[in-house]
Amino acid sequence: TWVDIYEIYVKDRYKLGMQEWFDKVNPHALQEMAATMLEAARKGYWNADAETIATLSRVYAESVVKHGTSAGLVSGGNSKLDGFAAARLNAPGDAALAAKMLASIAASAGSADAPNDKVAGQRRVIDFARVAGPRQWPFEPGGAAPDALGIA
């Protein structure tokens, strides 16, 4: 359930050091999980209480400010989500955090260096033919793509 996901990954139910692990291994993963939960609440798919939404908004905003936007499937270009999160940051000092989050998102949207690669956060163009060579299909004898699919 959404509550279990929230309690395990955001609240660290089992005291595994989830925040530190995400910061070290893939900070955008936690950012996108928070965005997904916020989007579920925003759209009415999850009836989370105000405190949970405020906590998720803070986790999301702090991650965007610290690591830049993930530009993920849920958060990327989702101005309704960004506004929803910013509006729920209402603890002392949260107004400045909301402003920093929105500024970071705006800077990423207008930058040529905006994240395009979800793992490294770097924009790059990959010449797949040069990197991988001809496509290899392990399920076909000789590794060639079947002609019947029109992709050989």
Side-chain angles (χ1 to χ4, degrees):
T1 68
W2 289 116
V3 172
D4 289 325
I5 294 168
Y6 170 77
E7 289 180 0
I8 291 168
Y9 293 104
V10 176
K11 298 301 281 184
D12 198 10
R13 176 192 292 171
Y14 300 111
K15 308 295 184 227
L16 299 172
M18 295 306 298
Q19 181 68 50
E20 295 80 15
W21 185 85
F22 278 114
D23 277 346
K24 180 180 177 184
V25 176
N26 189 348
H28 287 147
L30 181 59
Q31 184 182 122
E32 198 63 15
M33 289 172 66
T36 301
M37 289 183 269
L38 285 168
E39 188 70 349
R42 184 184 76 78
K43 290 184 171 182
Y45 302 143
W46 177 31
N47 190 22
D49 60 60
E51 181 182 342
T52 299
I53 292 173
T55 299
L56 284 169
S57 297
R58 195 168 302 104
V59 166
Y60 177 70
E62 288 172 351
S63 179
V64 169
V65 170
K66 183 175 180 179
H67 304 290
T69 180
S70 70
L73 293 174
V74 174
S75 64
N78 190 341
S79 59
K80 289 182 180 180
L81 168 70
D82 299 333
F84 180 81
R88 271 106 189 128
L89 292 169
N90 51 24
D94 280 354
L97 176 61
K100 288 179 186 177
M101 175 193 73
L102 294 173
S104 179
I105 292 167
S108 291
S111 169
D113 295 326
N116 192 29
D117 179 76
K118 302 298 186 269
V119 177
Q122 299 173 355
R123 180 181 301 274
R124 51 185 159 171
V125 176
I126 299 173
D127 180 354
F128 287 103
R130 182 183 60 77
V131 174
R135 289 184 222 177
Q136 296 293 307
W137 295 75
F139 52 84
E140 288 295 314
D147 287 335
L149 295 176
I151 56 174

